[in-house]
């Protein structure tokens, strides 16, 4: 095989319930993920040395993407190689990332690269790694990486890596507002800890009405059940997000929320016409895209 390209989606958190800080430094989560139609690709090619390169699609700023051993796609390839057997079992690869998901935006763009690299290398090396083993490796790479393999809509527990598909009969339209400057996920969780320093946090749960809204595809019901426990922390660190969230609601979006740790903001709309109207009210704040969910998980092109 000369090369393999895999496409993987961005994620949004329809609900992000954050519980107590665990001894391992992660927070207990109960989240409802949805994959949306913003994608990155990873191409794996046999090579004599391990390497990774990255290009941005449609004006995406890739200056924050590390191209050393800390790159998540490269870490994924190396982890799978280690899992496959002793050194030399598989041939090194050169990886090429085509970034279609904004960097450090709360859309799990790095996790999508990791998931895509796992699947691309598994296919290139003809390993046929069982799905549950791939998901375990994905969970070692990052909390959101397993979901990028699974896609659709799903619950996430543990630190987010324990993923179970949710029935989703909706066709959801989101206006996605992204910004040039990203936010650090650990910094937002740190701010969350400061805000909850004296509070005994209960174990988080996904609202049952959200699960029901996905099953019935009812946009008003979904709007009434989305939420993000990290949002107050993100807004403390980036107060400039308050205004676009309000403007989206003023422009009749059904719901407005921060995606994951931010700064990307999400606006739930009825259909394309409605999204166009909402997008027009937001274009002064950042880059506006219309995305649809649920989108499929990582797949070989
Ligand atoms: O798992 P991932 O590498 O995406 O996590 C990035 C950072 O986000 C962690 O180092 C941690 O600071 C924070 N995090 C957390 N609790 C989670 C997931 C992430 O505190 N459940």
């Amino acid at each position: 095989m000369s090369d393999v390209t895999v496409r993987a989606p961005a994620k949004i958190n329809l609900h992000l319930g954050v519980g107590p800080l665990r001894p391992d430094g992660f927070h207990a989560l109960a989240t409802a993920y949805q994959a949306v139609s913003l994608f990155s690709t990873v191409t794996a090619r046999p090579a004599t040395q391990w390497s990774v390169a990255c290009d941005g699609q449609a004006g995406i700023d890739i200056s924050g993407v590390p191209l050393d051993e800390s790159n998540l796609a490269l870490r994924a390839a190396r982890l799978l190689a280690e899992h496959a057997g002793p050194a030399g079992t598989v041939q090194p690869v050169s990886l090429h990332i085509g970034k279609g998901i904004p960097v450090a935006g709360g859309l799990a763009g790095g996790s999508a690269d990791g998931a895509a690299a796992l699947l691309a290398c598994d296919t290139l090396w003809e390993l046929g790694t069982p799905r549950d083993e791939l998901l375990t490796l994905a969970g070692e790479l990052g909390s959101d990486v397993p979901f990028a393999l699974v896609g659709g809509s799903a619950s996430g527990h543990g630190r987010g890596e324990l993923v179970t598909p949710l029935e989703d009969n909706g066709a959801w339209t989101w206006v996605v507002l992204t910004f040039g400057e990203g936010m650090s996920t650990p910094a937002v969780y740190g701010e969350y800890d400061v805000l909850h320093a004296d509070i005994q946090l209960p174990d988080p749960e996904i609202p049952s009405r959200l699960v029901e809204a996905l099953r019935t595809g009812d946009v008003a019901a979904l709007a009434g059940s989305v939420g993000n426990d990290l949002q107050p922390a993100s807004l403390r660190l980036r107060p400039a997000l308050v205004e676009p969230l309000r403007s989206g609601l003023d422009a009749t979006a059904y719901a407005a929320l921060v995606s994951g740790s931010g700064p990307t903001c999400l606006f739930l709309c009825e259909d394309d016409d409605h999204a166009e109207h909402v997008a027009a009210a937001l274009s002064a704040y950042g880059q506006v895209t219309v995305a649809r969910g649920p989108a499929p998980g990582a797949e070989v092109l």
Side-chain angles (χ1 to χ4, degrees):
M1 224 178 285
S2 62
D3 61 49
V4 174
T5 297
V6 169
R7 185 185 84 154
K11 67 85 191 159
I12 61 175
N13 301 87
L14 303 173
H15 174 84
L16 179 53
V18 182
L21 182 62
R22 310 190 316 192
D24 64 1
F26 289 87
H27 293 75
L29 298 188
T31 188
Y33 290 113
Q34 185 170 84
V36 296
S37 60
L38 300 173
F39 299 98
S40 290
T41 60
V42 172
T43 300
R45 277 194 188 85
T48 51
Q49 285 189 338
W50 300 90
S51 68
V52 62
C54 183
D55 278 321
Q57 299 169 13
I60 286 182
D61 177 8
I62 54 157
S63 57
V65 179
L67 297 176
D68 58 14
E69 290 289 334
S70 69
N71 180 280
L72 206 51
L74 190 53
R75 282 177 49 212
R78 286 206 180 265
L79 184 67
L80 184 64
E82 225 171 81
H83 181 76
T89 305
V90 296
Q91 198 185 348
V93 287
S94 69
L95 298 172
H96 183 270
I97 301 169
K99 271 269 176 207
I101 304 172
V103 178
L107 294 166
S111 302
D113 298 346
L118 275 181
L119 186 57
C121 291
D122 190 59
T123 308
L124 181 73
W125 294 329
E126 299 178 345
L127 296 172
T129 307
R131 188 78 173 163
D132 59 333
E133 288 177 30
L134 268 191
L135 287 168
T136 301
L137 294 175
E140 286 175 32
L141 291 166
S143 307
D144 297 329
V145 183
F147 176 69
L149 281 176
V150 171
S153 291
S155 65
H157 287 94
R159 55 180 236 275
E161 87 284 21
L162 305 174
V163 173
T164 307
L166 289 170
E167 184 180 354
D168 186 347
N169 294 305
W172 311 102
T173 305
W174 297 94
V175 171
V176 181
L177 175 64
T178 58
F179 303 92
E181 200 187 335
M183 284 175 86
S184 150
T185 301
V188 175
Y189 274 102
E191 187 66 20
Y192 179 86
D193 291 338
V194 170
L195 288 175
H196 297 86
D198 300 317
I199 300 168
Q200 180 104 30
L201 289 167
D203 286 336
E205 284 176 18
I206 299 170
S208 52
R209 62 205 165 102
L210 185 144
V211 175
E212 183 60 12
L214 289 178
R215 203 183 57 74
T216 56
D218 181 335
V219 68
L222 186 68
S225 55
V226 294
N228 180 358
D229 285 353
L230 286 181
Q231 183 162 315
S234 306
L235 295 184
R236 286 255 299 207
L237 295 178
R238 189 70 72 82
L241 297 178
V242 171
E243 198 177 308
L245 287 169
R246 194 181 311 119
S247 297
L249 290 174
D250 288 348
T252 73
Y254 280 105
L257 75 163
V258 169
S259 179
S261 52
T264 299
C265 294
L266 306 167
F267 302 87
L268 180 59
C269 296
E270 176 92 51
D271 53 24
D272 282 1
D273 285 347
H274 187 203
E276 211 172 290
H277 173 76
V278 171
L282 294 169
S283 59
Y285 295 106
Q287 193 175 338
V288 181
T289 319
V290 177
R292 290 172 189 81
E299 55 192 4
V300 178
L301 296 182

